[in-house]
Amino acid sequence: MAHDQLSPALARRVALAAQGFGASTTTPVGTRRLTGMIGRLGLLQIDSVNVFERSHYLPLFARLGEYDRAHLDRLTLDGPGRYIEYWAHEAALVPITTWPLFRWRMADHRRRTLADDDSWSSANPRLARWLLDLVRDGGPVPASLVEHESNVRTGPWWGWGSVKQGLEALFRVGDLVSAGRRRFERVYALPEQVLPRELLDLDVSRHEAHRRLLAQAAAAQGVATTSDLADYHRLKTADVVPALRELHDEGVLAPVEVSGWGRPAWLHRDARRPRRVGADALLSPFDPVVWTRPRAERVFGFRYRIEIYTPLEKRIHGYYVLPVLQDDLLVARVDLKSDRQSGVLRVQAAWRERDLEVDCDRLAALLRRAARWQGLEAVEVMHRGDLAAELRRAVG
């Protein structure tokens, strides 16, 4: 089979263009641009850490520039609409039309939990029925309205923790779905309370679901190895290989070789091959560009480990460290904290990446835009890191 050849630099540009970089960051961002970018990515991973900003807001800021986060909340978190949550990569917001493509995963979860006598579902069938009846009779509900002290004292006989565990177990198997979030707490509903009938009735085979998810991952990544494509939605090799073969036969994917990657790759038929990608971005630790750490290392030479759960004395770069993208290279990393009480974006550490050139004036301007987007008045650069002194001068 003849393989096209891509240089590492071109492969980087293909990957970044597929991810939506290079778009204008000065054009006003409304519903159309937000939904268009989410559609391009396919999902927004959710994480609760908000020392700088919650992760699902950051990929859109990285690609589109400043936008109204409340507008995104209305689109994604305010209840039944065009998006819903499920375990797509990790916990993620996905278009509701994607939800049926994960029914095989729900079925797998159900089989595993029912086969395990120690699982929550096997051990708590009565509580499971009670929770489903509660939501059926009372409508969508967050765990905090069920699992509270007065309920434990006067209601059913289970205690703190069991209700939340049960709601999550029912969510994983699809008996409950997300109906948005309140103060960032997930609200649980029956599928028929949230999803349109045509999606509830849609029957997608396991193979067809994998084929569609892989096609989506390939379009979002541009050029990728088989493992990269599988990890986008956390798919298993046994399901991926036959679906990839079919996508190749249909002309959706073509095999390519990228010098230095050391393994075959696939190029999506719609992937652009730009001569340049102009980008200035702070990437969330959970951005698709870097969330698959081996891919980040292969494509960008960027070794990335999040250190949130690392003891302070053992951290190398900092607590909430964001890779810095300038054009098609990850040139630095910064540990950011939004000090909302003081109105300051604090750069707690700044590190250059290997021997790559960093344009500190561009990075300083990006940090000012990030501060403004966060509603903060100033940027302060601390002394930690081999880029800190130069960046502090640029910030002024």
Side-chain angles (χ1 to χ4, degrees):
M1 185 184 300
H3 286 47
D4 196 0
Q5 304 282 329
L6 271 66
S7 69
L10 178 55
R12 285 197 305 272
R13 297 195 298 271
V14 168
L16 289 170
Q19 277 283 303
F21 288 96
S24 169
T25 57
T26 58
T27 305
V29 181
T31 299
R32 184 174 179 179
R33 296 196 75 203
L34 289 174
T35 57
M37 189 59 71
I38 299 172
R40 176 187 286 270
L41 300 177
L43 72 171
L44 294 175
Q45 185 173 329
I46 297 171
D47 188 79
S48 61
V49 176
N50 68 340
V51 63
F52 167 53
E53 181 54 278
R54 297 192 193 277
S55 66
H56 67 285
Y57 294 111
L58 293 174
L60 299 176
F61 175 66
R63 290 155 176 81
L64 300 176
E66 298 171 62
Y67 71 93
D68 183 356
R69 286 163 293 167
H71 190 172
L72 184 66
D73 288 346
R74 290 191 292 273
L75 288 172
T76 59
L77 300 180
D78 281 359
R82 66 182 80 192
Y83 299 100
I84 196 167
E85 287 183 45
Y86 192 61
W87 294 91
H89 178 78
E90 294 292 332
L93 291 159
V94 299
I96 61 168
T97 51
T98 303
W99 183 85
L101 303 184
F102 293 106
R103 276 187 164 151
W104 60 270
R105 178 166 287 165
M106 300 170 200
D108 283 357
H109 283 312
R110 190 184 302 276
R111 279 192 295 271
R112 282 196 296 269
T113 56
L114 293 180
D116 180 4
D117 291 340
D118 295 327
S119 71
W120 185 94
S121 298
S122 296
N124 296 276
R126 294 176 67 189
L127 176 51
R129 288 194 297 271
W130 183 83
L131 287 170
L132 290 172
D133 288 341
L134 177 76
V135 178
R136 182 176 294 107
D137 296 339
V141 62
S144 61
L145 291 186
V146 184
E147 190 176 55
H148 52 83
E149 195 170 356
S150 62
N151 176 274
V152 172
R153 286 179 179 156
T154 63
W157 51 91
W158 44 85
W160 284 89
S162 293
V163 165
K164 177 62 176 176
Q165 291 175 43
L167 292 170
E168 280 297 299
L170 294 167
F171 175 74
R172 280 185 179 271
V173 301
D175 288 342
L176 293 177
V177 298
S178 168
R181 286 183 176 242
R182 299 175 190 169
R183 294 180 295 278
F184 206 66
E185 182 184 12
R186 184 183 288 140
V187 177
Y188 300 88
L190 299 179
E192 57 267 28
Q193 292 171 332
V194 171
L195 293 169
R197 175 52 55 186
E198 59 267 24
L199 289 182
L200 294 172
D201 293 341
L202 189 61
D203 184 18
V204 183
S205 71
R206 184 187 188 97
H207 174 74
E208 176 61 16
H210 279 76
R211 196 187 70 81
R212 293 190 198 177
L213 290 171
L214 281 169
Q216 183 185 97
Q221 292 184 299
V223 59
T225 65
T226 297
S227 60
D228 295 339
L229 295 173
D231 190 66
Y232 207 82
H233 296 105
R234 295 290 166 85
L235 310 179
K236 294 184 177 179
T237 302
D239 294 304
V240 164
V241 170
L244 279 179
R245 190 179 302 119
E246 191 171 305
L247 289 170
H248 171 255
D249 292 342
E250 294 172 2
V252 176
L253 299 178
V256 294
E257 290 182 2
V258 181
S259 176
W261 280 23
R263 61 187 66 187
W266 298 95
L267 182 72
H268 192 273
R269 64 184 173 193
D270 296 330
R272 295 193 299 112
R273 303 189 186 200
R275 294 184 177 180
R276 181 182 180 276
V277 173
D280 280 293
L282 301 166
L283 301 185
S284 159
F286 311 106
D287 190 292
V289 170
V290 294
W291 69 18
T292 303
R293 308 309 191 206
R295 175 174 169 84
E297 201 158 343
R298 188 185 328 111
V299 177
F300 297 97
F302 190 86
R303 191 175 187 276
Y304 187 36
R305 301 293 183 270
I306 192 167
E307 299 179 280
I308 290 174
Y309 305 110
T310 303
L312 176 62
E313 65 277 7
K314 294 184 178 180
R315 289 179 197 146
I316 298 172
H317 295 109
Y319 179 77
Y320 197 73
V321 175
L322 288 81
V324 177
L325 178 69
Q326 289 188 343
D327 298 331
D328 66 342
L329 294 172
L330 296 177
V331 298
R333 52 188 95 197
V334 288
D335 181 14
L336 297 186
K337 178 178 180 179
S338 292
D339 185 343
R340 296 171 179 89
Q341 186 172 357
S342 301
V344 174
L345 176 61
R346 300 197 185 280
V347 184
Q348 304 193 106
W351 305 88
R352 63 178 68 252
E353 183 61 20
R354 306 188 307 280
D355 58 350
L356 298 179
E357 183 178 345
V358 184
D359 188 328
C360 280
D361 289 333
R362 284 172 63 181
L363 178 51
L366 173 60
L367 291 168
R368 292 189 196 100
R369 292 195 297 273
R372 187 169 62 226
W373 178 60
Q374 287 284 292
L376 305 173
E377 298 174 357
V379 177
E380 263 186 37
V381 182
M382 305 295 104
H383 293 273
R384 186 164 182 254
D386 59 8
L387 188 62
E390 186 179 350
L391 181 58
R392 190 163 56 252
R393 287 193 294 272
V395 167

